[in-house]
């Protein structure tokens, strides 16, 4: 765990450098603050914050020079005691241009703002779409245009949007700040126009400089496109704080919250109890006791369906319903005084049945759900199939997918196959989803996938009357497993925004607490209806 945490720390420190020290120096020479400096200046001191989408783009677009952190920083934090989403373009990464992953990350930020009715602040400093990859960011439903559609939807929902134009703001990207409730601009560095001076010259023959075309004076004094101009970044950010400070309060939900109590064990207890080997058993209850408030854990049907822990608890005072994979081997009683051993991390019929009922209870009682994944999948084999594992699994997926209370997911270890789905993977709309450094996510484990893929390749070659020697089989299996294991990495998942980031396990409690507080800002809870349930 120490090695894994050191890797996490070093990778994260590299993220903070954006496009590199040289790019940062040139950025600052223009009198501009960096993307992170702007965020830190906005945030209330000594208040927690949560980064969304850290490691987006990690290892991607290398043939284009890379796109660290997706070229944009997204944070959920407090500004003037108001929980907000902040989106800050990093102009040290390809001048803040939008790569495909940049668009996906911006949409994720807007999604969180919409789900939780949180004000969203855009700190704009971007050259627009990255043209070499325009076909992957421009025309589709979840591409660049969706940003402006969301601007309109967010406005119609009554959620405040504030934009600060602190650098370039070009072409279609010009609509984002101007579709916000407030559009501020920094003199000398901020500019906004549909077409820059070069394109204007080539299109209509007009010769004009960018400042006259779309600078702060033009848009504050002539066009009225922007509201006010500011001499530098800090004064502009101060104005944002001043605006937020005047917001009134809206209705909130009433998720149960009392005074916080510290967990039974410190977070370091996780490091001692979570084995490095993903196949080794451990007691998930020991992990949960480092996260939930001491004395608050109440197990549901603890002697039935024991490969899934279902429990009511409190986290930082907030009431939660927990569904967690138990990784110990357990004994399950069967009719006629028989018993069977059940493997930890596997979902059996009885555990799926229990979880479905528990999820429905929590929805009836307005209790947010937290999932801790260390799952290898559903049990297979004739005995399991004859007992109806598919219908019981479908019942659990149905109850979870239709859940109307906020859901939060943490991938502790394995996250394989349909187990990822049943335990509220990304496809099932968790409000936040994070991976620990110990996480692995794929259709199946590397060893299982390697053997399966080897058998497929052997069969293909055999059809061509090509036989492999044992040494060739060994080398091919090694190559397959190496490639597959790279895709198992939590950073591979975070790079593609399958998760919102890779975190130190000690931050789990903070993220749950902030996540429920954010969810509490949305007073609307739909009626819970699971539809047709297989029984």
């Amino acid at each position: 765990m120490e090695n894994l945490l050191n890797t996490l720390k070093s990778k994260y420190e590299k993220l903070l450098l954006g496009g590199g020290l040289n790019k940062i120096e040139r950025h600052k020479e223009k009198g501009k603050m960096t993307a992170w400096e702007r965020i830190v200046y906005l945030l209330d001191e000594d208040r927690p914050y949560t980064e969304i989408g850290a490691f987006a783009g990690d290892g991607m677009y290398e043939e284009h020079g890379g796109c660290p952190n997706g070229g944009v920083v997204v944070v959920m934090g407090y500004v003037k005691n108001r929980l907000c989403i902040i989106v800050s373009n990093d102009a040290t990464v390809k001048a803040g241009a939008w790569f495909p992953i940049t668009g996906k990350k911006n949409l994720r930020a807007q999604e969180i703002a919409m789900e939780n009715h949180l004000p969203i602040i855009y700190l704009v400093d971007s050259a627009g779409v990255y043209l070499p990859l325009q076909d992957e960011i421009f025309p589709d439903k979840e591409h660049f245009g969706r940003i402006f559609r969301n601007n309109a939807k967010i406005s119609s929902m009554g959620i405040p949007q504030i934009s600060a134009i602190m650098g370039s703001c070009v072409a279609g990207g010009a609509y984002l700040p101007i579709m916000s409730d407030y559009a501020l601009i920094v003199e000398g560095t901020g500019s906004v126009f549909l077409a820059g001076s070069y394109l204007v010259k080539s299109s209509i023959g007009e010769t004009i400089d960018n400042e006259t075309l779309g600078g702060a004076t033009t848009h504050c004094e002539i066009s009225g496109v922007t509201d006010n101009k500011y001499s530098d970044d800090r004064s502009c950010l101060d104005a944002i704080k001043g605006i937020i400070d005047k917001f009134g309060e809206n209705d909130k939900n009433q998720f149960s919250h009392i005074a916080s109590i510290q967990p039974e064990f410190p977070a370091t207890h996780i490091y001692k109890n979570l084995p490095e080997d993903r196949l080794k058993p451990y007691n998930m209850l020991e992990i949960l006791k480092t996260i939930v408030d001491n004395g608050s854990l109440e197990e549901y049907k603890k002697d039935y369906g024991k490969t899934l822990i279902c429990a009511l608890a409190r986290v930082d005072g907030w009431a939660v319903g927990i569904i967690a994979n138990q990784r110990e081997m357990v004994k399950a009683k069967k009719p006629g005084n028989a018993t069977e051993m059940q493997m930890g991390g596997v979902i059996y019929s009885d555990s799926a049945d229990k979880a479905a009922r528990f999820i429905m209870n929590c929805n009836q009682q307005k209790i947010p759900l937290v999932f801790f994944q260390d799952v290898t999948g559903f049990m297979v084999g004739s005995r399991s199939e004859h007992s109806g594992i598919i219908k019981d699994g479908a019942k659990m997926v149905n109850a979870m997918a239709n859940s109307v209370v906020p859901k939060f997911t943490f991938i502790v270890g394995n996250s394989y196959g349909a187990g990822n789905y049943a335990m509220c993977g990304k496809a099932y709309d968790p409000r936040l989803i994070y991976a620990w450094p110990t996480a692995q996510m794929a259709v199946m484990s590397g060893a299982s996938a390697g053997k399966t893929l080897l058998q497929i390749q052997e069969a293909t070659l055999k059809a061509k009357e090509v036989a492999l020697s044992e040494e060739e089989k060994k080398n091919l299996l090694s190559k397959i497993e190496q490639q597959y294991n790279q895709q198992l990495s939590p950073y591979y998942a975070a790079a593609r925004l399958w998760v919102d980031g890779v975190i130190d396990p000690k931050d789990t409690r903070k993220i749950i607490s902030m996540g429920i507080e954010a969810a509490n800002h949305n007073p609307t809870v739909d009626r819970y209806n699971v539809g047709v349930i297989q029984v």
Side-chain angles (χ1 to χ4, degrees), residues 256-263 291-296 314-319 509-510 513:
S256 176
H257 189 238
I258 61 174
S260 175
I261 299 172
Q262 287 299 307
I291 295 167
V292 307
D293 293 7
N294 190 13
S296 69
R314 289 192 181 273
V315 175
D316 198 25
W318 292 101
R509 182 174 159 91
K510 175 196 76 175
S513 179

Side-chain angles (χ1 to χ4, degrees), residues 75-86:
V75 162
M76 180 169 69
Y78 299 89
V79 179
K80 288 294 181 178
N81 293 312
R82 177 75 60 137
L83 199 54
C84 300
I85 299 293
I86 306 172

Side-chain angles (χ1 to χ4, degrees), residues 10-29:
S10 63
K11 285 178 74 72
Y12 189 75
E13 286 174 348
K14 189 177 178 182
L15 278 190
L16 299 178
L17 295 176
L21 290 173
N22 290 337
K23 295 279 182 67
I24 290 174
E25 285 175 14
R26 289 202 292 272
H27 182 84
K28 285 177 168 289
E29 284 170 3

